[in-house]
Amino acid sequence: MFETRPDRSSEVVLVGRSNVGKSTLMREITGHDVSTGQRPGVTREPNHFDWVSEDFVVTDLPGFGFMDGVPEEVRERIKTDVVRYVEEHADEILVGILVLDGKAAVDIMDRHSGPDEVPHAVELFHFLRDVDVEPVVAVNKMDKVDDEDDRLNDICERLGLVPPWQQWPETIAPISAKRGTVEPLNEAVREHLHEAGRDDLFQFF
Ligand code: GDP
């Protein structure tokens, strides 16, 4: 289990498969490069960006799913650790940002849907809700997507949200972390922070 967490009463976490752009998004949110040069195959730890004065921490949890050169059991363990972390700190976590690769997410979800299989993204989305962590789906890499509305509606459908996607501004946020166009995510997160009575944290989003 991860033992690195600073003891803060409020937290926002980023979860998602590897390579969806979580580190890029983390840099965009915090304005800092907090990655610790982790490579596949190395035991992965969360990256915490800690604001002591605000009693607030943003945490980029390790990516899971397919990674070149990482054995299946390691990948599964990472996912289990991520889920446990969120369960354990659910009371402090105000928002769970589920980051998807907008270009690849639908194909990946459909490839992993079946009688005995629920796609990671779908599983995590419902898991966040089950533990009362507000989920925001950051659909990243939208700069690579042409059929934006179709893609976002497909994602909604798979997550059990009735399309059109524009009905879910607090939940579905199309962004491009690399280009720095993340306003829909900031708006969604601020909405949840507001509901939690934490307008003071708007400075970060
Ligand atoms: P992580 O494994 O989820 O932390 O992913 P990274 O942040 O390392 O990003 C994985 C790759 O996706 C890198 O090559 C990034 O430059 C690229 N990437 C991240 N965000 C975007 C984006 O918004 N658009 C595009 N086109 N590429 C992105």
Side-chain angles (χ1 to χ4, degrees), residues 17-24 140-141 143-144 176-178:
R17 302 177 76 91
S18 50
N19 213 42
V20 294
K22 284 193 307 103
S23 321
T24 309
N140 192 31
K141 307 196 186 184
D143 56 287
K144 295 208 293 187
S176 172
K178 197 170 163 179

Side-chain angles (χ1 to χ4, degrees), residues 146-199:
D146 317 314
D147 49 347
E148 172 164 338
D149 288 341
D150 290 345
R151 202 55 70 99
L152 294 167
N153 286 337
D154 285 349
I155 289 170
C156 278
E157 261 175 17
R158 286 163 184 69
L159 296 176
L161 304 172
V162 179
W165 67 272
Q166 291 92 338
Q167 290 196 115
W168 306 96
E170 287 165 36
T171 311
I172 301 288
I175 62 165
S176 172
K178 197 170 163 179
R179 295 204 173 159
T181 48
V182 296
E183 190 49 29
L185 175 64
N186 288 339
E187 279 171 23
V189 172
R190 283 200 299 264
E191 191 63 40
H192 296 297
L193 294 177
H194 178 67
E195 281 161 21
R198 295 301 308 266
D199 291 18

